[in-house]
Amino acid sequence: MRRSLITACLLLATASSAFSENLDALQQGLTRMPASVLAQPVADQAYFVGIDAMNELQQSDAAARIFSRLVRGTDLTPLESLAQTERKEWETKAGVTIDKLRYFVGFGRPPATVTIWGLSDAAAADNMIDALQERGFESAGAGVFGNGEPMKFDPQKRDPADPWRTMIGAAQFAAVKENTVVQANMPAYAISTAGTQPGAGDNPIIETALAGLHSTVSDGRVVQAVVISPAFGITGIDPSLVLSPSADIAETRKKIEAQAAELGAGIPPYLGGIITDIQLETPAIGISLAYGDCAIAQQAADMIAQRWTAMAGDNAQGKITAGTAEGVDGLCAATVKVELAEPGIETNPAYAQILSSYFTRKAGILNIGTQ
């Protein structure tokens, strides 16, 4: 028998612009990311990695193995480099020291991939660009600097220790945006990301999901996270038909329900959300999905809790807390937290299972379907 405890309690958390320190990096990273990313016809729209949290975990004896915990579906070139390089060498080639780096946010699909380096302050971002110029980066126009020709295959320059070279030795391009440095494969992608435009963190769906995480994360640390669209819960359906950056709730829900009618059992259609890998005394997962009202959000949270007990593997079971949190513009978040029983920092089976179901296109706990 699985040792899961479901605590069905209503978590009434009020949305606020003042997030806890443990959520600050995630909230800031999503604010720096363009809102247009939310209109991409993909299920996993962006990935976040909390370097602050990883640095804390790396104080233990498992420091060398912490990177095995990370699960992502997009390129994060500097993170891959960091995982296989001595810290001092990596810092020299990165143009910044680890103590100035707070997080990475990555989005896009090759070759249009972008990584946002979240730094401690704007001065650190400016200093990083200066350091890259000292390493040979030259102006590519419009405030962008690069170390070569875009997308050129250059195996002689391939260097796994260099976060500013791809696996084929191609150049990378950098631009400053407030306290962040944008890294892209093409100058145009760096320009557009660093430009003045609405941030994803200001989108009502994302704001509502963050409000839900405010109660779910509590005193934990966000190690990594993924921003999802409704397509995450829909298998075999064109995701472009259900995406809307304007958060037109009625129209989006109508489209989702029409396509989900034949999918069978699942949770109510959601507008989007955030899944987080949290480190408490043990690993945990925090799920926050945006809904049109708290009644349906509570229904969804209860169903996720039930589906978790029935569908998650034995190593992903634990104490489950399900509830809701009021969001913005009348939206409401369905919140679910699963705290695993076994301690450790090298893996988080609960977070890994959610992503694995999506990557392998198998029926998942967050699948949308009829009741």
Side-chain angles (χ1 to χ4, degrees):
M1 179 180 294
R2 290 171 174 159
R3 298 177 181 176
S4 295
L5 173 62
I6 300 179
T7 306
C9 60
L10 186 63
L11 304 176
L12 296 177
T14 303
S16 169
S17 59
F19 289 93
S20 68
E21 178 185 350
N22 298 336
L23 266 178
D24 176 67
L26 175 59
Q27 190 269 342
Q28 184 187 99
L30 296 182
T31 299
R32 299 291 186 264
M33 184 177 74
S36 57
V37 173
L38 303 178
Q40 293 179 346
V42 295
D44 52 337
Q45 295 178 313
Y47 288 86
F48 166 90
V49 175
I51 301 300
D52 280 348
M54 289 186 62
N55 283 339
E56 289 184 10
L57 296 179
Q58 284 183 311
Q59 301 304 312
S60 76
D61 293 337
R65 301 185 296 275
I66 185 61
F67 288 96
S68 65
R69 177 166 174 163
L70 303 181
V71 183
R72 57 208 173 276
T74 191
D75 290 339
L76 282 172
T77 301
L79 188 66
E80 300 289 351
S81 176
L82 180 60
Q84 54 187 319
T85 307
E86 290 295 327
R87 174 171 171 168
K88 290 297 183 182
E89 181 181 4
W90 186 89
E91 289 179 333
T92 298
K93 295 180 178 181
V96 68
T97 55
I98 292 291
D99 63 300
K100 298 292 184 180
L101 180 60
R102 298 192 63 204
Y103 61 82
F104 288 121
V105 171
F107 56 90
R109 295 291 188 270
T113 55
V114 175
T115 299
I116 297 175
W117 300 53
L119 305 178
S120 58
D121 50 43
D126 290 335
N127 291 339
M128 184 174 173
I129 293 295
D130 291 341
L132 292 177
Q133 288 181 275
E134 291 175 3
R135 288 196 59 223
F137 276 60
E138 299 180 347
S139 174
V144 175
F145 299 87
N147 57 356
E149 182 179 337
M151 304 304 296
K152 180 180 179 181
F153 176 70
D154 195 344
Q156 291 185 337
K157 292 183 178 179
R158 184 181 181 278
D159 181 3
D162 189 349
W164 292 96
R165 285 286 171 187
T166 70
M167 294 181 63
I168 62 171
Q172 295 283 274
F173 297 86
V176 170
K177 182 176 184 179
E178 301 178 57
N179 66 321
T180 66
V181 170
V182 176
Q183 176 178 0
N185 294 331
M186 298 280 287
Y189 302 143
I191 292 171
S192 61
T193 302
T196 302
Q197 56 182 303
D202 298 321
N203 178 280
I205 294 173
I206 299 301
E207 284 189 283
T208 296
L210 286 168
L213 292 176
H214 183 66
S215 61
T216 302
V217 173
S218 59
D219 59 347
R221 300 291 285 174
V222 178
V223 179
Q224 58 188 324
V226 58
V227 176
I228 65 171
S229 75
F232 193 88
I234 299 176
T235 303
I237 290 180
D238 183 3
S240 66
L241 298 180
V242 300
L243 298 179
S244 173
S246 65
D248 185 342
I249 299 164
E251 182 62 23
T252 300
R253 179 170 181 171
K254 180 179 178 182
K255 292 179 179 179
I256 295 172
E257 290 179 333
Q259 296 191 68
E262 298 179 1
L263 291 182
I267 67 174
Y270 44 88
L271 302 169
I274 304 173
I275 306 169
T276 55
D277 170 5
I278 309 166
Q279 184 66 34
L280 300 163
E281 292 185 4
T282 64
I285 186 172
I287 300 170
S288 184
L289 305 178
Y291 282 92
D293 60 64
C294 282
I296 191 147
Q298 184 65 56
Q299 178 187 2
D302 292 339
M303 292 183 69
I304 293 171
Q306 294 167 7
R307 288 169 66 84
W308 193 279
T309 301
M311 298 175 66
D314 289 339
N315 65 345
Q317 297 294 332
K319 177 183 177 182
I320 305 177
T321 306
T324 65
E326 294 178 3
V328 298
D329 292 353
L331 302 183
C332 189
T335 65
V336 176
K337 177 168 67 175
V338 183
E339 300 177 59
L340 302 186
E342 296 296 325
I345 67 169
E346 297 175 44
T347 63
N348 184 339
Y351 186 82
Q353 176 154 329
I354 286 286
L355 270 295
S356 177
S357 295
Y358 164 66
F359 293 146
T360 58
R361 297 296 187 264
K362 295 180 180 178
I365 293 168
L366 300 186
N367 271 26
I368 294 170
T370 56
Q371 287 119 72

